[in-house]
Amino acid sequence: MRLATLMVEAQTVVAYRMMGMAGIWSVTAYEKQRMVSEKPAAFIEGATAATLAIMRAEPTHAVLEAAIQPLERKATSNRKRLAKRGFRK
């Protein structure tokens, strides 16, 4: 369920950003840079958390949850931030 939620959150963020690039949605000038620069940190944090969970011999579902938690946080944060901006006037 959490993977499905992450997928929906991520696709919503992509939609907002695409509409922003098309001039339909209000986004800041830094949105293009932000969408590239934020990913490595989230993936590294997730990989680190998953590695630590593996080293602690946690079950597979716990390893997966550790890996996706930073991605969930970032996607949800982005969706909420972009949703507040609204259509370009």
Side-chain angles (χ1 to χ4, degrees):
M1 187 65 179
R2 288 180 62 194
L3 283 173
T5 302
L6 174 59
M7 180 182 69
V8 171
E9 293 274 17
Q11 287 300 98
T12 304
V13 171
V14 169
Y16 284 139
R17 286 175 167 165
M18 295 293 288
M19 288 190 300
M21 286 184 227
I24 299 167
W25 201 258
S26 176
V27 295
T28 66
Y30 301 104
E31 196 62 38
K32 291 177 196 168
Q33 177 185 355
R34 185 178 193 151
M35 70 183 189
V36 173
S37 65
E38 70 190 7
K39 287 174 182 55
F43 278 104
I44 289 169
E45 185 180 344
T48 302
T51 301
L52 292 173
I54 290 168
M55 291 171 66
R56 290 189 298 266
E58 293 184 14
T60 306
H61 69 87
V63 174
L64 179 60
E65 287 179 12
I68 68 168
Q69 187 176 23
L71 304 175
E72 286 177 312
R73 248 190 340 263
K74 184 54 78 174
T76 300
S77 169
N78 283 338
R79 180 194 45 82
K80 288 178 180 179
R81 178 180 51 79
L82 289 166
K84 289 179 186 176
R85 301 203 52 90
F87 287 101
R88 178 169 272 171
K89 295 177 176 139

